[in-house]
Amino acid sequence: MKLYRFLTGPDDSSFCHKVTAALNKGWELHGSPAYAFNATTGEMQCGQAVTKTVHGKDYDPEMKLGEQ
């Protein structure tokens, strides 16, 4: 099965660590990162899509994608 996640967070090192952790768990970058201003919080937000192919499992909407 192929999994998709969209990681988001503030424009700081915590977002970079989140993406780095996903890459080290076998996820791959998918497309370009996103960058937008959150008017509610007054902060810049980052986003990055990642995908991962997992063999021998079937998709279940109840699964926690980050644990795959």
Side-chain angles (χ1 to χ4, degrees), residues 37-65:
F37 180 71
N38 182 332
T40 303
T41 64
E43 298 177 321
M44 294 301 292
Q45 299 287 304
C46 299
Q48 176 65 57
V50 292
T51 61
K52 183 178 185 180
T53 300
V54 178
H55 300 283
K57 286 189 177 182
D58 292 325
Y59 174 72
D60 177 350
E62 299 299 317
M63 67 179 27
K64 295 188 178 195
L65 297 176

PDB file of all heavy atoms in Angstrom, residues 37-65:
ATOM      1  N   PHE A  37       1.273  32.299   5.607  1.00  0.00           N
ATOM      2  CA  PHE A  37       1.087  33.097   6.818  1.00  0.00           C
ATOM      3  C   PHE A  37      -0.225  32.719   7.485  1.00  0.00           C
ATOM      4  O   PHE A  37      -1.277  32.679   6.836  1.00  0.00           O
ATOM      5  CB  PHE A  37       1.083  34.591   6.473  1.00  0.00           C
ATOM      6  CG  PHE A  37       0.903  35.481   7.659  1.00  0.00           C
ATOM      7  CD1 PHE A  37       1.920  35.630   8.591  1.00  0.00           C
ATOM      8  CD2 PHE A  37      -0.279  36.166   7.861  1.00  0.00           C
ATOM      9  CE1 PHE A  37       1.750  36.446   9.698  1.00  0.00           C
ATOM     10  CE2 PHE A  37      -0.448  36.984   8.955  1.00  0.00           C
ATOM     11  CZ  PHE A  37       0.571  37.128   9.881  1.00  0.00           C
ATOM     12  N   ASN A  38      -0.179  32.427   8.783  1.00  0.00           N
ATOM     13  CA  ASN A  38      -1.371  32.132   9.570  1.00  0.00           C
ATOM     14  C   ASN A  38      -1.785  33.420  10.275  1.00  0.00           C
ATOM     15  O   ASN A  38      -1.149  33.837  11.247  1.00  0.00           O
ATOM     16  CB  ASN A  38      -1.064  31.018  10.580  1.00  0.00           C
ATOM     17  CG  ASN A  38      -2.266  30.624  11.399  1.00  0.00           C
ATOM     18  OD1 ASN A  38      -3.172  31.418  11.629  1.00  0.00           O
ATOM     19  ND2 ASN A  38      -2.266  29.382  11.860  1.00  0.00           N
ATOM     20  N   ALA A  39      -2.837  34.054   9.781  1.00  0.00           N
ATOM     21  CA  ALA A  39      -3.262  35.341  10.334  1.00  0.00           C
ATOM     22  C   ALA A  39      -3.751  35.212  11.767  1.00  0.00           C
ATOM     23  O   ALA A  39      -3.668  36.165  12.545  1.00  0.00           O
ATOM     24  CB  ALA A  39      -4.352  35.938   9.452  1.00  0.00           C
ATOM     25  N   THR A  40      -4.264  34.056  12.153  1.00  0.00           N
ATOM     26  CA  THR A  40      -4.760  33.852  13.518  1.00  0.00           C
ATOM     27  C   THR A  40      -3.624  33.891  14.529  1.00  0.00           C
ATOM     28  O   THR A  40      -3.741  34.518  15.583  1.00  0.00           O
ATOM     29  CB  THR A  40      -5.515  32.515  13.623  1.00  0.00           C
ATOM     30  OG1 THR A  40      -6.571  32.523  12.675  1.00  0.00           O
ATOM     31  CG2 THR A  40      -6.080  32.304  15.020  1.00  0.00           C
ATOM     32  N   THR A  41      -2.526  33.205  14.213  1.00  0.00           N
ATOM     33  CA  THR A  41      -1.399  33.135  15.147  1.00  0.00           C
ATOM     34  C   THR A  41      -0.325  34.178  14.862  1.00  0.00           C
ATOM     35  O   THR A  41       0.539  34.418  15.697  1.00  0.00           O
ATOM     36  CB  THR A  41      -0.729  31.745  15.089  1.00  0.00           C
ATOM     37  OG1 THR A  41      -0.159  31.553  13.785  1.00  0.00           O
ATOM     38  CG2 THR A  41      -1.716  30.641  15.408  1.00  0.00           C
ATOM     39  N   GLY A  42      -0.371  34.775  13.675  1.00  0.00           N
ATOM     40  CA  GLY A  42       0.647  35.753  13.301  1.00  0.00           C
ATOM     41  C   GLY A  42       1.983  35.108  12.954  1.00  0.00           C
ATOM     42  O   GLY A  42       3.008  35.782  12.953  1.00  0.00           O
ATOM     43  N   GLU A  43       1.970  33.811  12.649  1.00  0.00           N
ATOM     44  CA  GLU A  43       3.203  33.089  12.340  1.00  0.00           C
ATOM     45  C   GLU A  43       3.177  32.538  10.919  1.00  0.00           C
ATOM     46  O   GLU A  43       2.117  32.294  10.356  1.00  0.00           O
ATOM     47  CB  GLU A  43       3.382  31.897  13.291  1.00  0.00           C
ATOM     48  CG  GLU A  43       3.523  32.257  14.740  1.00  0.00           C
ATOM     49  CD  GLU A  43       3.620  31.014  15.613  1.00  0.00           C
ATOM     50  OE1 GLU A  43       2.911  30.021  15.341  1.00  0.00           O
ATOM     51  OE2 GLU A  43       4.417  31.032  16.561  1.00  0.00           O
ATOM     52  N   MET A  44       4.362  32.303  10.396  1.00  0.00           N
ATOM     53  CA  MET A  44       4.495  31.587   9.136  1.00  0.00           C
ATOM     54  C   MET A  44       4.394  30.099   9.438  1.00  0.00           C
ATOM     55  O   MET A  44       4.887  29.631  10.455  1.00  0.00           O
ATOM     56  CB  MET A  44       5.820  31.908   8.448  1.00  0.00           C
ATOM     57  CG  MET A  44       5.937  33.344   7.984  1.00  0.00           C
ATOM     58  SD  MET A  44       4.657  33.861   6.811  1.00  0.00           S
ATOM     59  CE  MET A  44       5.071  32.898   5.376  1.00  0.00           C
ATOM     60  N   GLN A  45       3.727  29.365   8.560  1.00  0.00           N
ATOM     61  CA  GLN A  45       3.537  27.924   8.702  1.00  0.00           C
ATOM     62  C   GLN A  45       4.150  27.220   7.492  1.00  0.00           C
ATOM     63  O   GLN A  45       4.089  27.732   6.381  1.00  0.00           O
ATOM     64  CB  GLN A  45       2.043  27.585   8.757  1.00  0.00           C
ATOM     65  CG  GLN A  45       1.313  28.212   9.920  1.00  0.00           C
ATOM     66  CD  GLN A  45       1.657  27.565  11.236  1.00  0.00           C
ATOM     67  OE1 GLN A  45       1.507  26.361  11.399  1.00  0.00           O
ATOM     68  NE2 GLN A  45       2.121  28.351  12.175  1.00  0.00           N
ATOM     69  N   CYS A  46       4.704  26.045   7.738  1.00  0.00           N
ATOM     70  CA  CYS A  46       5.291  25.226   6.684  1.00  0.00           C
ATOM     71  C   CYS A  46       4.468  23.953   6.517  1.00  0.00           C
ATOM     72  O   CYS A  46       3.833  23.484   7.454  1.00  0.00           O
ATOM     73  CB  CYS A  46       6.714  24.808   7.048  1.00  0.00           C
ATOM     74  SG  CYS A  46       7.845  26.174   7.273  1.00  0.00           S
ATOM     75  N   GLY A  47       4.534  23.380   5.325  1.00  0.00           N
ATOM     76  CA  GLY A  47       3.894  22.103   5.058  1.00  0.00           C
ATOM     77  C   GLY A  47       4.718  21.322   4.056  1.00  0.00           C
ATOM     78  O   GLY A  47       5.353  21.906   3.180  1.00  0.00           O
ATOM     79  N   GLN A  48       4.723  20.005   4.210  1.00  0.00           N
ATOM     80  CA  GLN A  48       5.437  19.137   3.275  1.00  0.00           C
ATOM     81  C   GLN A  48       4.712  17.813   3.172  1.00  0.00           C
ATOM     82  O   GLN A  48       4.453  17.164   4.186  1.00  0.00           O
ATOM     83  CB  GLN A  48       6.885  18.894   3.737  1.00  0.00           C
ATOM     84  CG  GLN A  48       7.655  17.923   2.875  1.00  0.00           C
ATOM     85  CD  GLN A  48       7.869  18.420   1.456  1.00  0.00           C
ATOM     86  OE1 GLN A  48       8.429  19.491   1.264  1.00  0.00           O
ATOM     87  NE2 GLN A  48       7.419  17.668   0.472  1.00  0.00           N
ATOM     88  N   ALA A  49       4.378  17.423   1.953  1.00  0.00           N
ATOM     89  CA  ALA A  49       3.770  16.116   1.719  1.00  0.00           C
ATOM     90  C   ALA A  49       4.870  15.061   1.704  1.00  0.00           C
ATOM     91  O   ALA A  49       5.967  15.297   1.196  1.00  0.00           O
ATOM     92  CB  ALA A  49       3.013  16.111   0.403  1.00  0.00           C
ATOM     93  N   VAL A  50       4.551  13.894   2.270  1.00  0.00           N
ATOM     94  CA  VAL A  50       5.464  12.752   2.250  1.00  0.00           C
ATOM     95  C   VAL A  50       4.653  11.497   1.924  1.00  0.00           C
ATOM     96  O   VAL A  50       3.466  11.420   2.229  1.00  0.00           O
ATOM     97  CB  VAL A  50       6.216  12.571   3.594  1.00  0.00           C
ATOM     98  CG1 VAL A  50       7.192  13.709   3.837  1.00  0.00           C
ATOM     99  CG2 VAL A  50       5.262  12.450   4.766  1.00  0.00           C
ATOM    100  N   THR A  51       5.303  10.544   1.274  1.00  0.00           N
ATOM    101  CA  THR A  51       4.660   9.276   0.944  1.00  0.00           C
ATOM    102  C   THR A  51       5.560   8.131   1.367  1.00  0.00           C
ATOM    103  O   THR A  51       6.775   8.305   1.548  1.00  0.00           O
ATOM    104  CB  THR A  51       4.369   9.147  -0.565  1.00  0.00           C
ATOM    105  OG1 THR A  51       5.605   9.210  -1.285  1.00  0.00           O
ATOM    106  CG2 THR A  51       3.425  10.224  -1.054  1.00  0.00           C
ATOM    107  N   LYS A  52       4.944   6.961   1.522  1.00  0.00           N
ATOM    108  CA  LYS A  52       5.692   5.765   1.911  1.00  0.00           C
ATOM    109  C   LYS A  52       4.969   4.540   1.380  1.00  0.00           C
ATOM    110  O   LYS A  52       3.748   4.442   1.488  1.00  0.00           O
ATOM    111  CB  LYS A  52       5.801   5.683   3.436  1.00  0.00           C
ATOM    112  CG  LYS A  52       6.612   4.522   3.951  1.00  0.00           C
ATOM    113  CD  LYS A  52       6.692   4.585   5.473  1.00  0.00           C
ATOM    114  CE  LYS A  52       7.587   3.523   6.043  1.00  0.00           C
ATOM    115  NZ  LYS A  52       7.652   3.598   7.510  1.00  0.00           N
ATOM    116  N   THR A  53       5.728   3.625   0.806  1.00  0.00           N
ATOM    117  CA  THR A  53       5.167   2.350   0.365  1.00  0.00           C
ATOM    118  C   THR A  53       5.425   1.315   1.448  1.00  0.00           C
ATOM    119  O   THR A  53       6.563   1.171   1.914  1.00  0.00           O
ATOM    120  CB  THR A  53       5.798   1.902  -0.962  1.00  0.00           C
ATOM    121  OG1 THR A  53       5.528   2.903  -1.945  1.00  0.00           O
ATOM    122  CG2 THR A  53       5.237   0.575  -1.411  1.00  0.00           C
ATOM    123  N   VAL A  54       4.369   0.649   1.885  1.00  0.00           N
ATOM    124  CA  VAL A  54       4.461  -0.390   2.911  1.00  0.00           C
ATOM    125  C   VAL A  54       3.955  -1.688   2.291  1.00  0.00           C
ATOM    126  O   VAL A  54       2.822  -1.758   1.825  1.00  0.00           O
ATOM    127  CB  VAL A  54       3.622  -0.027   4.156  1.00  0.00           C
ATOM    128  CG1 VAL A  54       3.673  -1.139   5.194  1.00  0.00           C
ATOM    129  CG2 VAL A  54       4.077   1.286   4.747  1.00  0.00           C
ATOM    130  N   HIS A  55       4.819  -2.688   2.260  1.00  0.00           N
ATOM    131  CA  HIS A  55       4.456  -3.977   1.675  1.00  0.00           C
ATOM    132  C   HIS A  55       3.851  -4.888   2.741  1.00  0.00           C
ATOM    133  O   HIS A  55       4.223  -4.822   3.914  1.00  0.00           O
ATOM    134  CB  HIS A  55       5.689  -4.641   1.056  1.00  0.00           C
ATOM    135  CG  HIS A  55       6.296  -3.810  -0.034  1.00  0.00           C
ATOM    136  ND1 HIS A  55       5.752  -3.724  -1.287  1.00  0.00           N
ATOM    137  CD2 HIS A  55       7.384  -3.006  -0.047  1.00  0.00           C
ATOM    138  CE1 HIS A  55       6.480  -2.919  -2.035  1.00  0.00           C
ATOM    139  NE2 HIS A  55       7.473  -2.464  -1.295  1.00  0.00           N
ATOM    140  N   GLY A  56       2.914  -5.728   2.327  1.00  0.00           N
ATOM    141  CA  GLY A  56       2.355  -6.738   3.212  1.00  0.00           C
ATOM    142  C   GLY A  56       1.274  -6.250   4.152  1.00  0.00           C
ATOM    143  O   GLY A  56       0.872  -6.968   5.060  1.00  0.00           O
ATOM    144  N   LYS A  57       0.789  -5.025   3.971  1.00  0.00           N
ATOM    145  CA  LYS A  57      -0.296  -4.494   4.791  1.00  0.00           C
ATOM    146  C   LYS A  57      -1.362  -3.912   3.885  1.00  0.00           C
ATOM    147  O   LYS A  57      -1.069  -3.436   2.791  1.00  0.00           O
ATOM    148  CB  LYS A  57       0.202  -3.395   5.728  1.00  0.00           C
ATOM    149  CG  LYS A  57       1.015  -3.870   6.896  1.00  0.00           C
ATOM    150  CD  LYS A  57       1.256  -2.710   7.849  1.00  0.00           C
ATOM    151  CE  LYS A  57       2.010  -3.162   9.079  1.00  0.00           C
ATOM    152  NZ  LYS A  57       2.200  -2.050  10.018  1.00  0.00           N
ATOM    153  N   ASP A  58      -2.588  -3.943   4.354  1.00  0.00           N
ATOM    154  CA  ASP A  58      -3.690  -3.305   3.653  1.00  0.00           C
ATOM    155  C   ASP A  58      -4.044  -2.009   4.361  1.00  0.00           C
ATOM    156  O   ASP A  58      -3.955  -1.914   5.594  1.00  0.00           O
ATOM    157  CB  ASP A  58      -4.911  -4.223   3.622  1.00  0.00           C
ATOM    158  CG  ASP A  58      -4.687  -5.453   2.763  1.00  0.00           C
ATOM    159  OD1 ASP A  58      -3.992  -5.335   1.735  1.00  0.00           O
ATOM    160  OD2 ASP A  58      -5.199  -6.529   3.127  1.00  0.00           O
ATOM    161  N   TYR A  59      -4.470  -1.041   3.588  1.00  0.00           N
ATOM    162  CA  TYR A  59      -4.860   0.244   4.160  1.00  0.00           C
ATOM    163  C   TYR A  59      -6.112   0.098   5.030  1.00  0.00           C
ATOM    164  O   TYR A  59      -7.060  -0.587   4.684  1.00  0.00           O
ATOM    165  CB  TYR A  59      -5.125   1.266   3.052  1.00  0.00           C
ATOM    166  CG  TYR A  59      -5.655   2.561   3.588  1.00  0.00           C
ATOM    167  CD1 TYR A  59      -4.843   3.424   4.284  1.00  0.00           C
ATOM    168  CD2 TYR A  59      -6.990   2.910   3.423  1.00  0.00           C
ATOM    169  CE1 TYR A  59      -5.332   4.621   4.811  1.00  0.00           C
ATOM    170  CE2 TYR A  59      -7.494   4.085   3.928  1.00  0.00           C
ATOM    171  CZ  TYR A  59      -6.657   4.934   4.622  1.00  0.00           C
ATOM    172  OH  TYR A  59      -7.150   6.097   5.147  1.00  0.00           O
ATOM    173  N   ASP A  60      -6.084   0.775   6.162  1.00  0.00           N
ATOM    174  CA  ASP A  60      -7.223   0.850   7.062  1.00  0.00           C
ATOM    175  C   ASP A  60      -7.333   2.292   7.528  1.00  0.00           C
ATOM    176  O   ASP A  60      -6.362   2.846   8.046  1.00  0.00           O
ATOM    177  CB  ASP A  60      -6.998  -0.082   8.262  1.00  0.00           C
ATOM    178  CG  ASP A  60      -8.115  -0.021   9.288  1.00  0.00           C
ATOM    179  OD1 ASP A  60      -8.988   0.874   9.195  1.00  0.00           O
ATOM    180  OD2 ASP A  60      -8.110  -0.862  10.195  1.00  0.00           O
ATOM    181  N   PRO A  61      -8.479   2.962   7.347  1.00  0.00           N
ATOM    182  CA  PRO A  61      -8.601   4.370   7.726  1.00  0.00           C
ATOM    183  C   PRO A  61      -8.374   4.624   9.221  1.00  0.00           C
ATOM    184  O   PRO A  61      -8.157   5.759   9.621  1.00  0.00           O
ATOM    185  CB  PRO A  61     -10.021   4.749   7.332  1.00  0.00           C
ATOM    186  CG  PRO A  61     -10.629   3.588   6.666  1.00  0.00           C
ATOM    187  CD  PRO A  61      -9.690   2.453   6.720  1.00  0.00           C
ATOM    188  N   GLU A  62      -8.384   3.590  10.032  1.00  0.00           N
ATOM    189  CA  GLU A  62      -8.162   3.744  11.466  1.00  0.00           C
ATOM    190  C   GLU A  62      -6.664   3.721  11.826  1.00  0.00           C
ATOM    191  O   GLU A  62      -6.303   4.034  12.963  1.00  0.00           O
ATOM    192  CB  GLU A  62      -8.883   2.633  12.232  1.00  0.00           C
ATOM    193  CG  GLU A  62     -10.390   2.636  12.042  1.00  0.00           C
ATOM    194  CD  GLU A  62     -11.045   3.918  12.536  1.00  0.00           C
ATOM    195  OE1 GLU A  62     -10.671   4.397  13.612  1.00  0.00           O
ATOM    196  OE2 GLU A  62     -11.940   4.420  11.835  1.00  0.00           O
ATOM    197  N   MET A  63      -5.804   3.346  10.885  1.00  0.00           N
ATOM    198  CA  MET A  63      -4.373   3.231  11.215  1.00  0.00           C
ATOM    199  C   MET A  63      -3.754   4.612  11.441  1.00  0.00           C
ATOM    200  O   MET A  63      -4.201   5.606  10.879  1.00  0.00           O
ATOM    201  CB  MET A  63      -3.604   2.477  10.128  1.00  0.00           C
ATOM    202  CG  MET A  63      -3.522   3.198   8.810  1.00  0.00           C
ATOM    203  SD  MET A  63      -2.586   2.381   7.477  1.00  0.00           S
ATOM    204  CE  MET A  63      -2.675   0.689   7.810  1.00  0.00           C
ATOM    205  N   LYS A  64      -2.764   4.655  12.296  1.00  0.00           N
ATOM    206  CA  LYS A  64      -2.019   5.871  12.554  1.00  0.00           C
ATOM    207  C   LYS A  64      -0.869   5.898  11.547  1.00  0.00           C
ATOM    208  O   LYS A  64       0.075   5.099  11.636  1.00  0.00           O
ATOM    209  CB  LYS A  64      -1.518   5.916  13.977  1.00  0.00           C
ATOM    210  CG  LYS A  64      -2.646   5.990  14.972  1.00  0.00           C
ATOM    211  CD  LYS A  64      -2.166   6.236  16.365  1.00  0.00           C
ATOM    212  CE  LYS A  64      -3.382   6.335  17.280  1.00  0.00           C
ATOM    213  NZ  LYS A  64      -3.041   6.911  18.550  1.00  0.00           N
ATOM    214  N   LEU A  65      -0.970   6.810  10.589  1.00  0.00           N
ATOM    215  CA  LEU A  65      -0.017   6.817   9.492  1.00  0.00           C
ATOM    216  C   LEU A  65       1.418   7.025   9.956  1.00  0.00           C
ATOM    217  O   LEU A  65       2.337   6.429   9.408  1.00  0.00           O
ATOM    218  CB  LEU A  65      -0.404   7.894   8.479  1.00  0.00           C
ATOM    219  CG  LEU A  65      -1.758   7.693   7.795  1.00  0.00           C
ATOM    220  CD1 LEU A  65      -2.070   8.864   6.882  1.00  0.00           C
ATOM    221  CD2 LEU A  65      -1.787   6.388   7.039  1.00  0.00           C
TER     222      LEU A  65
END
